[in-house]
Amino acid sequence: MRVTVLGASGRTGIHVVRLLLGRGHQVRAGLRSRRRAEEVAGLGAETVVADVTADADDLVEALAGSEVVINTIGAPDPDQASVDLVDRDGVITAIRAAEKAGVARFVQLSAQFADAPDQGDRLVRSILMAKQISDSVLARSSLNWTIVRPGTLTDDQPTGRVKLSGHLEPGHVSRADVAGVLVATLDEPLAENQGFDVIGGEMPIPSALAALS
């Protein structure tokens, strides 16, 4: 598939790019600016400026020709203005741009409790509320969508094993395993038009996705 990864230079995005390339996909690494290109240099992906906070028409052009968008962007700091700019408005811009560009599928990295911010940690509730809005826009869009809501992200080594469900208890999961889930959704029809939580667990990623209902 031809896949564009938004936020490709981020700590989760880098894992996604590597996994996609390892599976033989054509990968376009979407970056907020050319200055970030060195962070994905050498991976073998095409790089393109895809700034969700900039001109929407430029983003349409950056996504053109892609069959899938995997969105891993997130605000660089918890400041409310930054969160609203990136996690809410920026993601909505990316969704609309994907529709205009003729993208078929959009896989969204969200956060656990984004579907119920009042149940999440009060310290990150503003982030959860911003993600709830953009997730809702995606679910109502014309795109074939998947929303992955991981628990607290860690930089631990991947295990290839997770726990998935529509709603789960709070938990932790490695960025590498979340990337594995994001990429594996492309091969699992049961993940289409679904949102689900993911934390560390015992079930291999493909089996966990195949058990979705």
Side-chain angles (χ1 to χ4, degrees), residues 33-58:
S33 72
R34 286 292 179 194
R35 294 193 304 273
R36 308 298 295 272
E38 63 184 38
E39 298 176 44
V40 295
L43 294 182
E46 173 192 356
T47 59
V48 62
V49 174
D51 186 354
V52 300
T53 67
D55 187 84
D57 290 336
D58 288 344

Side-chain angles (χ1 to χ4, degrees), residues 6-21:
L6 298 177
S9 63
R11 285 187 288 172
T12 304
I14 285 282
H15 287 296
V16 171
V17 171
R18 289 195 183 104
L19 287 173
L20 288 168
L21 289 169

Side-chain angles (χ1 to χ4, degrees), residues 56-186:
D57 290 336
D58 288 344
L59 191 57
V60 172
E61 185 176 342
L63 300 182
S66 299
E67 298 169 76
V68 181
V69 168
I70 298 180
N71 176 39
T72 68
I73 65 169
D77 62 65
D79 175 74
Q80 186 66 57
S82 178
V83 168
D84 289 344
L85 178 66
V86 176
D87 292 283
R88 186 190 66 190
D89 301 340
V91 174
I92 292 172
T93 296
I95 293 164
R96 299 304 185 213
E99 289 180 307
K100 291 180 180 178
V103 174
R105 185 142 185 214
F106 197 105
V107 180
Q108 165 88 330
L109 174 61
S110 184
Q112 194 173 24
F113 297 112
D115 58 332
D118 59 315
Q119 298 177 27
D121 190 327
R122 281 180 290 180
L123 294 176
V124 295
R125 197 159 291 171
S126 63
I127 297 174
L128 297 176
M129 291 177 68
K131 289 184 179 293
Q132 180 187 46
I133 292 170
S134 55
D135 287 354
S136 296
V137 170
L138 176 57
R140 295 194 305 268
S141 74
S142 62
L143 299 162
N144 180 330
W145 56 272
T146 301
I147 297 170
V148 179
R149 299 186 299 263
T152 301
L153 294 169
T154 74
D155 290 315
D156 295 340
Q157 292 297 309
T159 66
R161 296 176 178 272
V162 296
K163 184 177 182 179
L164 297 178
S165 186
H167 298 281
L168 291 171
E169 70 280 3
H172 294 74
V173 62
S174 73
R175 295 176 187 276
D177 281 331
V178 171
V181 172
L182 292 168
V183 173
T185 63
L186 303 186

